[in-house]
Amino acid sequence: MSDHQHEHNGHHHGHGSHQHHASMNREHFDKTAEQYEDMPQVKEMTEKVANSLLRHGNFDKNVTEALDFACGPGLVSRSLSAHAKSILGIDISTGMVDLYNKRASENGLENIKAEAADILDEAHSDVLSGKLFDIIFCSAAYHHFASPLDITKALSKHLKPSGTLLVVEFKNFKRPPPADAEPRPADASHTITHFLTPEGLQDVFVQAGLEDASIPEVFEGRVLGMDVEVFVGRATKRSSQL
């Protein structure tokens, strides 16, 4: 990931088309789906992320309808399944979606499911057509998007009035992975467009028309043998905004 360790504010930069990055993401994560969930540090990070989302989202197991965007194999969805009425996972990778649904079935979790879709591709617009959510969360994926602003605008359309968007991202990688770092999935650096700063993410929220943009929490973690600072971005949709 070292070739892409640069941070940006929330403005769009010329990193190539959405379609180009979407294709790279789809190909990479189709191939590496099962490798991610077997890594101990990923499991530890999942627990931290899920607990943070619970602290900053008003989850109610009897009411909350949530969207897990860029859901991967569903680690976070499974951790939150007991705290929501339903969770729909969306991912561009069919490999990830298949694994998500397989694991949900194996664990008897009937209130979570995933579908493969590219929300910026009109051909897939029917997957989320007419669906609105109390909470939309996205964990450690914004650095794979060619335009975080376009993604955020698309997601905001599927928030209920007063609904909450929660984004978990890496602030920076504190050091390169050591030579003896744990085995990792095939290098994903080519799928990384940039790392947003916390201020940049707040700017994206504002540009997307969301309110109360904030960074309520920053915590430490380890990913792929690297020390990282993780931050949580939170914003809400105006109560009168449709």
Side-chain angles (χ1 to χ4, degrees):
M1 296 185 182
S2 59
D3 290 341
H4 297 263
Q5 289 179 40
H6 51 286
E7 295 185 343
H8 290 251
N9 61 22
H11 301 290
H12 178 70
H13 292 262
H15 285 278
S17 70
H18 165 74
Q19 290 81 7
H20 174 66
H21 286 289
S23 178
M24 287 195 300
N25 286 334
R26 183 184 298 111
E27 180 180 359
H28 173 77
F29 291 108
D30 277 349
K31 291 179 179 177
T32 61
E34 296 204 25
Q35 298 178 46
Y36 278 94
E37 65 175 4
D38 293 330
M39 301 174 67
Q41 290 177 0
V42 170
K43 294 177 182 179
E44 293 171 11
M45 181 65 77
T46 296
E47 183 177 354
K48 289 185 176 183
V49 167
N51 287 335
S52 181
L53 292 173
L54 287 173
R55 282 191 289 272
H56 304 296
N58 297 316
F59 283 85
D60 184 326
K61 65 180 181 180
N62 298 312
V63 176
T64 301
E65 295 176 318
L67 172 66
D68 182 353
F69 183 70
C71 61
L75 290 166
V76 178
S77 285
R78 296 201 296 274
S79 295
L80 296 177
S81 61
H83 303 277
K85 179 181 178 181
S86 65
I87 299 176
L88 173 64
I90 293 292
D91 201 284
I92 200 168
S93 163
T94 55
M96 288 292 191
V97 165
D98 289 345
L99 188 56
Y100 181 117
N101 290 325
K102 178 183 178 182
R103 295 290 186 255
S105 178
E106 291 172 347
N107 287 277
L109 302 175
E110 298 182 355
N111 66 327
I112 70 172
K113 68 173 183 177
E115 295 190 47
D118 176 353
I119 65 168
L120 297 185
D121 184 345
E122 292 183 0
H124 291 142
S125 61
D126 59 323
V127 172
L128 289 175
S129 179
K131 291 185 173 67
L132 297 176
F133 301 90
D134 301 292
I135 297 174
I136 296 177
F137 58 92
C138 181
S139 305
Y142 260 52
H143 55 272
H144 293 294
F145 302 150
S147 174
L149 178 57
D150 288 346
I151 291 290
T152 304
K153 286 180 177 179
L155 292 176
S156 69
K157 294 177 182 178
H158 295 285
L159 277 173
K160 295 179 182 179
S162 300
T164 301
L165 174 63
L166 295 166
V167 174
V168 180
E169 254 300 352
F170 302 137
K171 184 175 181 181
N172 56 52
F173 287 86
K174 292 186 175 179
R175 60 177 176 78
D180 60 349
E182 66 178 87
R184 56 178 292 185
D187 185 18
S189 62
H190 64 290
T191 71
I192 296 172
T193 58
H194 49 250
F195 289 99
L196 286 171
T197 63
E199 297 76 17
L201 181 59
Q202 287 180 275
D203 189 36
V204 166
F205 288 160
V206 172
Q207 290 182 64
L210 297 171
E211 294 189 329
D212 304 320
S214 66
I215 305 295
E217 185 175 1
V218 179
F219 59 89
E220 303 288 322
R222 283 179 64 78
V223 176
L224 304 176
M226 290 176 280
D227 296 323
V228 296
E229 287 186 10
V230 185
F231 64 93
V232 182
R234 185 183 192 277
T236 58
K237 188 169 186 175
R238 290 196 299 272
S239 59
S240 60
Q241 185 177 354
L242 297 176

